[in-house]
Amino acid sequence: MKLSVIIVNYNVKYFLEQCLHSVFAASKNIETEVFVVDNNSVDGSCAMVAEKFPQVHLIENKKNTGFAVANNQAIRISTGQYVLLLNPDTIVEEDTFEKVVSFMDSHVDAGGLGVKMIDGKGNYLPESKRGFPSPMVAFYKMFGLSRLFPHSRKFNQYYMGHLSADKIAEVDVLAGAFMLMRRETLDKVGLLDEDYFMYGEDIDLSYRIIKGGYKNYYYPETTIIHYKGESTKKGSVNYVRMFYNAMIIFARKHLSKKNASVFSLAINMAIYFRGALALVGRFLSKAIVPFVDALLMYLCLLFLAIRWPVAAFGVADYFPDNYYTVALPIYILVWIVSVFYAGGYESKASPMSIVKGIGAGALVILVAYALLPEDLRFSRAIIIFGTIANMFIVNIYRLMMHCFVPNLFCFNSSKKTNIAVVGSQSEADRVIGILNQSSLKYNYVGLVDLQSQMHERKAIGTIDQIADIVKVNKIDELIFCSKDMTTQQIIGLMLSLDSNEVHFKIAPPESLSIIGSNSIDTAGDLYTVDFNTIIKPQNRRNKRTLDVIVAILLLVFSPLIIWFTKPAKQLYINILNVFLGAKTWVGFDNNCPPNPYLPKLKKGVISQCMVQIGKNATNEQREKINLLYAKDYQIQTDIYLIFKGFRLLATSEIINKTK
């Protein structure tokens, strides 16, 4: 066997599917075996591999063993002269394997090899070539000097910024996303160090390869796409901690005791510093939009509270101090919460969600206002005028800020995404079918023909005209059909177009996904057929809100309800579990074989199958009802099931076993 490809997967099914398509396309002219080691994914990855890629050697771990352990499992049973560690969120070119193996064959001093990597927008990824993280190199990286001086040999040694991204060169560290190694090298220096769980293994092994008398090469004559950050969220505190702890392990193993102590101290300081920055950054990114909303709402109400009494009654200082310090903040809090539940703080909030949220909040305020004693009813007019004014003010400011800070103030205006598909008419029709079943609001501009002269009637132009097509038609997104195009063609087009003007996505053959990445700073994103509508954020919020409301009502009226629901003790236990978020009132029926394609959902007190069919339901009926419940979720369904299954709300678990 010439080449063994090893892919460690964790909950990235759609990316893995696309990766495997590219791997087998690149394996046509070279003897290759492919291993997928799955670290206990729950997204149906293993079922997908078994169904679509039966030739893959699939290893299913029952727990997440980490990157090093999982790779070593496959390395030990692989038989290739060369071993390639490959991330599941990558796409390789059709001749990548031939090129890299040929280079290794002709360079007997090469122990390892890495390639040029770009992200989903065609941007070069600097981690394609790296230096060892000595104390000073790590210091320059951690405190941002490498970013300030990207081409400096001294300050950006971490990314070896002085070396050209387009020339073959010796490097210190190979990237774990694509790490090709000679078998005899691994036999001599050892496998991945299992002291590392994630991050740092590639640095450690690269270091040992060089210490073993071999060289590591950066080989940019083939390019791969790497949707960096999909398996882990790199802005998280957990990522910062894991990454820098890996650096500490490396220092203790390979640096002198004195240098390791200094390095460990600096790294620990960096962990707390970067961790604090990450926490503050995440808080601000979540809080800044509702904070600005609240500030504008308060200023609006304050203006009305000052001007309205003068205009209506000719009286200034009409309201007491507690109106400004207590009543107005309470109004605003209700509005903010209502906007949240209406979806006004989702990644792309719509103007209507803000209008609905503020309107619903106003109804809550007015109902509460009517129940207050006379001396606390300050002004119904300000509530009504404030509601109308805030609907306009919040929407206008969101729209304005979206133009200046789109990543922070995402605002889903009426403009749809202009999409063009590059490929054949049949694949374009399939892609449009997927888009129609996703939640994307888009405008299909047309097909780009792959021929130099148009053959498809519906084509808006040919691939040779793609730059003009993007500019003239104001294309926001290009979708490449990988069934009709080579990865080399796709990468070439990505590199030739301005990534600031257009985004890229790839539609794998015979798949229900379209994968891409709209930013170097974000994980890869995808469109999928929208089967599991229950996982939409708004549906999750609605379901949780209903759970809490029903729990409150059951608790309030429990002295009466316990006569109809037995046992009474279990009813109170269920109410408490729902309050704490451990259970939901309506869930999936768990008395059938587990379905990896169902989304995660809290354990239900009752299920649709339990209420509508009962204990005599077959496994086939249970599975079908679970899928329909996930696919077509509506809050009305839960309300109906709770009323119909009222007597079952004191059930300890869904126990209606199949006979």
Side-chain angles (χ1 to χ4, degrees):
M1 187 67 62
K2 192 69 173 179
L3 177 65
S4 299
V5 179
I6 298 170
I7 303 169
V8 175
N9 176 70
Y10 181 64
N11 288 328
V12 285
K13 176 178 70 174
Y14 293 110
F15 289 84
L16 174 63
E17 179 184 0
Q18 182 167 261
C19 176
L20 288 171
H21 278 299
S22 74
V23 164
F24 285 108
S27 303
K28 289 182 178 179
N29 297 322
I30 190 167
E31 189 182 17
T32 307
E33 59 181 358
V34 180
F35 295 82
V36 170
V37 186
D38 185 82
N39 269 338
N40 200 28
S41 296
V42 294
D43 65 343
S45 293
C46 293
M48 180 277 295
V49 172
E51 178 186 348
K52 295 189 174 184
F53 304 96
Q55 66 272 50
V56 166
H57 302 280
L58 178 62
I59 300 172
E60 300 182 52
N61 290 329
K62 299 307 178 185
K63 64 177 183 178
N64 188 352
T65 60
F67 184 78
V69 171
N71 272 299
N72 287 347
Q73 284 179 264
I75 292 174
R76 291 189 181 102
I77 60 176
S78 64
T79 59
Q81 180 185 347
Y82 297 106
V83 175
L84 172 63
L85 308 186
L86 187 67
N87 267 26
D89 55 350
T90 58
I91 305 175
V92 299
E93 293 181 316
E94 285 75 13
D95 60 356
T96 291
F97 294 167
E98 293 176 71
K99 283 185 174 180
V100 296
V101 166
S102 176
F103 181 87
M104 294 290 281
D105 282 343
S106 61
H107 292 75
V108 293
D109 60 341
L113 177 144
V115 297
K116 183 177 182 179
M117 298 188 295
I118 61 173
D119 74 347
K121 282 198 68 178
N123 298 307
Y124 175 73
L125 293 176
E127 56 263 39
S128 301
K129 48 182 176 61
R130 286 181 292 168
F132 287 126
S134 67
M136 289 309 298
V137 169
F139 175 84
Y140 297 143
K141 167 73 166 60
M142 288 185 293
F143 290 94
L145 291 174
S146 60
R147 184 173 294 182
L148 289 175
F149 305 99
H151 301 297
S152 169
R153 179 188 293 269
K154 179 179 181 180
F155 293 120
N156 195 20
Q157 179 63 20
Y158 187 84
Y159 290 128
M160 307 195 84
H162 60 287
L163 296 179
S164 170
D166 300 313
K167 292 183 180 179
I168 297 172
E170 292 181 34
V171 293
D172 295 335
V173 176
L174 306 172
F178 185 105
M179 194 171 185
L180 180 69
M181 293 159 293
R182 198 181 298 273
R183 168 78 60 179
E184 67 176 53
T185 304
L186 291 175
D187 292 340
K188 181 177 179 179
V189 306
L191 305 184
L192 293 167
D193 191 327
E194 296 181 5
D195 286 347
Y196 302 89
F197 181 81
M198 185 177 289
Y199 310 117
E201 308 95 333
D202 49 0
I203 299 174
D204 184 277
L205 184 52
S206 297
Y207 183 82
R208 286 188 280 124
I209 288 173
I210 291 177
K211 293 290 284 186
Y214 297 93
K215 294 179 180 179
N216 291 322
Y217 281 96
Y218 168 66
Y219 182 77
E221 295 187 8
T222 187
T223 302
I224 70 168
I225 301 172
H226 180 205
Y227 298 106
K228 52 179 288 187
E230 181 56 26
S231 297
T232 56
K233 305 304 179 187
K234 297 199 171 184
S236 68
V237 177
N238 188 50
Y239 164 75
V240 172
R241 180 182 60 81
M242 292 176 66
F243 179 79
Y244 287 120
N245 277 336
M247 296 300 97
I248 291 175
I249 296 173
F250 177 82
R252 288 174 179 169
K253 286 179 175 289
H254 300 298
L255 300 181
S256 66
K257 188 174 182 180
K258 179 181 178 181
N259 284 340
S261 299
V262 173
F263 190 69
S264 297
L265 177 62
I267 289 293
N268 277 307
M269 290 174 62
I271 289 174
Y272 291 113
F273 176 70
R274 294 292 294 271
L277 285 181
L279 280 173
V280 171
R282 291 180 68 185
F283 173 77
L284 289 177
S285 66
K286 298 289 185 183
I288 190 168
V289 177
F291 175 79
V292 176
D293 283 354
L295 179 61
L296 288 174
M297 289 177 184
Y298 187 82
L299 291 174
C300 174
L301 293 180
L302 183 62
F303 175 80
L304 289 173
I306 294 172
R307 300 300 302 170
W308 169 251
V310 175
F313 314 115
V315 179
D317 298 326
Y318 182 80
F319 298 109
D321 291 342
N322 62 351
Y323 182 69
Y324 301 100
T325 59
V326 178
L328 296 187
I330 290 175
Y331 296 166
I332 291 166
L333 179 62
V334 172
W335 274 323
I336 294 296
V337 172
S338 298
V339 171
F340 171 79
Y341 278 104
Y345 296 114
E346 290 182 7
S347 59
K348 288 187 177 181
S350 67
M352 189 51 64
S353 66
I354 295 168
V355 170
K356 287 179 180 178
I358 293 177
L363 288 176
V364 173
I365 294 169
L366 289 170
V367 169
Y369 180 91
L371 300 175
L372 290 173
E374 189 69 34
D375 60 324
L376 294 179
R377 298 182 194 175
F378 297 110
S379 174
R380 186 181 287 107
I382 288 182
I383 296 172
I384 295 171
F385 292 147
T387 297
I388 297 170
N390 282 327
M391 287 177 179
F392 283 101
I393 290 171
V394 172
N395 270 313
I396 291 170
Y397 112 82
R398 291 272 193 104
L399 183 59
M400 291 173 61
M401 292 306 298
H402 174 72
C403 298
F404 297 104
V405 197
N407 291 331
L408 181 61
F409 288 85
C410 293
F411 195 73
N412 190 12
S413 62
S414 58
K415 181 181 181 300
K416 296 180 178 180
T417 302
N418 286 335
I419 287 179
V421 178
V422 186
S424 65
Q425 185 63 57
S426 59
E427 277 295 280
D429 292 341
R430 186 179 70 84
V431 166
I432 297 305
I434 294 173
L435 293 176
N436 287 339
Q437 296 181 71
S438 74
S439 57
L440 179 70
K441 295 180 181 179
Y442 75 97
N443 174 44
Y444 177 52
V445 177
L447 175 72
V448 179
D449 200 316
L450 293 173
Q451 307 296 325
S452 57
Q453 294 183 350
M454 261 191 279
H455 292 271
E456 300 284 2
R457 287 185 180 179
K458 298 180 182 179
I460 55 176
T462 68
I463 199 168
D464 296 337
Q465 304 167 306
I466 196 163
D468 291 333
I469 290 172
V470 168
K471 186 174 295 186
V472 171
N473 294 280
K474 297 181 179 179
I475 303 297
D476 299 306
E477 208 162 82
L478 282 173
I479 299 178
F480 301 112
C481 301
S482 62
K483 181 178 181 180
D484 305 317
M485 305 176 67
T486 66
T487 305
Q488 288 169 310
Q489 284 180 299
I490 294 171
I491 290 176
L493 289 172
M494 289 169 62
L495 294 175
S496 69
L497 295 169
D498 185 352
S499 60
N500 292 319
E501 290 185 1
V502 61
H503 301 312
F504 309 111
K505 284 188 170 62
I506 300 174
E510 301 175 2
S511 175
L512 296 177
S513 65
I514 301 170
I515 299 173
S517 183
N518 287 344
S519 170
I520 191 172
D521 297 318
T522 60
D525 48 25
L526 55 88
Y527 305 141
T528 58
V529 173
D530 201 3
F531 288 125
N532 299 323
T533 56
I534 197 171
I535 67 175
K536 288 183 176 179
Q538 186 170 351
N539 283 339
R540 291 282 197 187
R541 285 196 302 270
N542 291 342
K543 188 172 179 63
R544 178 60 182 155
T545 302
L546 179 66
D547 280 346
V548 173
I549 291 173
V550 171
I552 292 172
L553 292 174
L554 289 175
L555 185 61
V556 170
F557 295 103
S558 60
L560 294 174
I561 293 171
I562 56 176
W563 295 98
F564 303 97
T565 56
K566 304 287 184 178
K569 178 182 176 182
Q570 187 60 49
L571 176 64
Y572 286 110
I573 292 174
N574 287 344
I575 291 172
L576 179 62
N577 282 328
V578 171
F579 263 128
L580 297 176
K583 282 188 175 182
T584 181
W585 288 118
V586 182
F588 295 132
D589 192 296
N590 296 319
N591 296 310
C592 55
N595 187 337
Y597 295 102
L598 285 176
K600 280 186 175 181
L601 194 64
K602 294 183 182 72
K603 182 182 288 187
V605 176
I606 60 175
S607 72
Q608 187 172 5
C609 182
M610 180 180 181
V611 173
Q612 294 183 331
I613 299 181
K615 63 183 180 179
N616 294 320
T618 64
N619 280 341
E620 185 178 356
Q621 287 175 315
R622 296 175 194 275
E623 289 178 351
K624 184 176 181 179
I625 289 174
N626 281 346
L627 283 170
L628 289 173
Y629 181 74
K631 175 179 179 290
D632 299 316
Y633 175 78
Q634 293 180 334
I635 194 170
Q636 297 95 312
T637 304
D638 278 5
I639 295 172
Y640 168 77
L641 293 172
I642 289 169
F643 272 103
K644 188 169 183 181
F646 184 74
R647 293 177 179 273
L648 302 172
L649 295 180
T651 306
S652 60
E653 58 178 328
I654 298 175
I655 55 174
N656 43 316
K657 299 285 186 182
T658 304
K659 286 188 175 181

